[in-house]
Amino acid sequence: MIKLAIPIVTVVSGTKGGTGKTTIAVNLAVLASYRLRASSKYPVILIDLGVDNGTASKILLGGVFNVQYTIVDYLTGVISNPLYAFYVKSWRVDNDEFRVVFSIPGSMRDRAIIGFRIRGIIDAVANALSPRLVIVDTPSIGFDRSILASVLSASTHIIPVATVDHSSVESLRGIVEFAKLVNPGLKVLKPILNMYNPKYPKDPTTGREWLAIVKEAVGIEPFTVSYDELFYIVRQAMEVESIKLSVNESPALMDINRYFNEVLLNSLNLT
């Protein structure tokens, strides 16, 4: 078991893909790593559980895709220590260096075994590196709920992410209800309504405001992250937006910064 009281925050979007969930998870991990750099050598662990080798880890790897070991290698007995499936991305800003430790999930048809050992992976890495925060990026499409149940059982908080789309909001409603059922002690942080355009605040089919629709589905007033074309162009280029763009260049990045400061820091008591 984890020796320290480390927040484990899982980012979810249900079965709906394309919500920007991974982009948000990566940027929150980078922001947290920078902010907490003085308190730990490895302040943030980002666990990528994406299918087909994951997207979060590809963003952090950049153009390097040949890695030695993955989580699947640990799960299938190729390696005995899950730490071998984790890698470090570091940046230097002025005289400060900060790091994010992240996993490479690997590719495997039968991923159900992950559900039985995910807690052991989290415990092993957290105990070895003493981070301040663990962020888990869950895949959406093709993710078995038995695996998600194991991840949610190990989590302390979740961040629900949806877009201005009815299927996305309904998917999010179902996954939040499932999360509360699996782990009654789980804290649901303010949901993120991503790619939101304030010029079009209402659903054209019902005339209701999207903020009200999401609040009704999740039970919490959502936090909006602006639609920003530049932000997603950079994302598609496999860059880390928090490093490559300034807040003044990107309304979306500004919103994620605000979410980090107003929601994540306050809710997790990270100082």
Side-chain angles (χ1 to χ4, degrees):
M1 298 298 290
I2 295 176
K3 301 172 185 176
L4 304 174
I6 301 169
I8 302 172
V9 180
T10 296
V11 187
V12 297
S13 65
T15 57
K16 183 70 175 180
T19 62
K21 169 184 55 58
T22 293
T23 300
I24 288 170
V26 171
N27 279 282
L28 289 176
V30 173
L31 287 167
S33 177
Y34 179 75
R35 185 68 62 89
L36 302 171
R37 66 192 184 282
S39 62
S40 172
K41 184 176 181 180
Y42 304 107
V44 179
I45 295 172
L46 176 62
I47 298 183
D48 182 358
L49 293 181
V51 296
D52 295 329
N53 289 303
T55 302
S57 52
K58 286 180 181 177
I59 293 173
L60 291 168
L61 283 169
V64 180
F65 295 110
N66 294 321
V67 296
Q68 190 169 8
Y69 297 118
T70 68
I71 284 181
V72 167
D73 291 321
Y74 170 67
L75 298 174
T76 55
V78 174
I79 55 176
S80 59
N81 189 334
L83 283 170
Y84 297 155
F86 284 78
Y87 298 79
V88 180
K89 175 74 173 184
S90 62
W91 299 269
R92 183 172 290 277
V93 176
D94 296 327
N95 293 323
D96 283 330
E97 185 175 11
F98 63 102
R99 308 165 186 84
V100 171
V101 176
F102 62 98
S103 67
I104 308 293
S107 181
M108 183 171 66
R109 288 184 180 179
D110 182 11
R111 302 180 66 85
I113 190 173
I114 293 176
F116 297 105
R117 304 189 73 178
I118 186 63
R119 183 57 188 252
I121 293 172
I122 294 173
D123 287 350
V125 180
N127 283 328
L129 303 180
S130 299
R132 296 291 309 284
L133 174 66
V134 175
I135 295 178
V136 182
D137 180 38
T138 59
S140 46
I141 300 172
F143 198 46
D144 190 286
R145 280 205 172 190
S146 64
I147 303 172
L148 183 59
S150 180
V151 176
L152 293 171
S153 296
S155 303
T156 59
H157 302 74
I158 61 168
I159 299 175
V161 179
T163 58
V164 286
D165 175 87
H166 280 291
S167 61
S168 176
V169 175
E170 285 305 309
S171 178
L172 197 66
R173 181 202 301 269
I175 214 66
V176 170
E177 291 174 351
F178 178 70
K180 292 178 178 178
L181 182 65
V182 168
N183 185 352
L186 193 67
K187 295 181 180 179
V188 181
L189 298 179
K190 187 178 279 285
I192 292 175
L193 180 57
N194 197 23
M195 294 180 267
Y196 175 77
N197 189 335
K199 293 181 179 179
Y200 306 101
K202 295 184 178 181
D203 167 30
T205 62
T206 64
R208 297 183 64 207
E209 291 192 352
W210 282 108
L211 292 173
I213 292 172
V214 175
K215 182 177 180 180
E216 181 182 276
V218 182
I220 304 172
E221 185 81 28
F223 186 101
T224 59
V225 170
S226 303
Y227 176 77
D228 180 351
E229 185 176 349
L230 177 61
F231 190 67
Y232 290 96
I233 289 173
V234 177
R235 159 69 171 75
Q236 291 164 8
M238 293 298 183
E239 303 285 4
V240 181
E241 297 83 348
S242 298
I243 304 301
K244 301 300 180 181
L245 297 176
S246 73
V247 171
N248 294 331
E249 289 179 289
S250 171
L253 182 56
M254 183 181 297
D255 289 336
I256 293 176
N257 269 278
R258 285 197 306 111
Y259 187 90
F260 176 77
N261 289 322
E262 297 173 15
V263 179
L264 212 60
L265 282 182
N266 290 336
S267 299
L268 306 183
N269 295 317
L270 294 173
T271 55

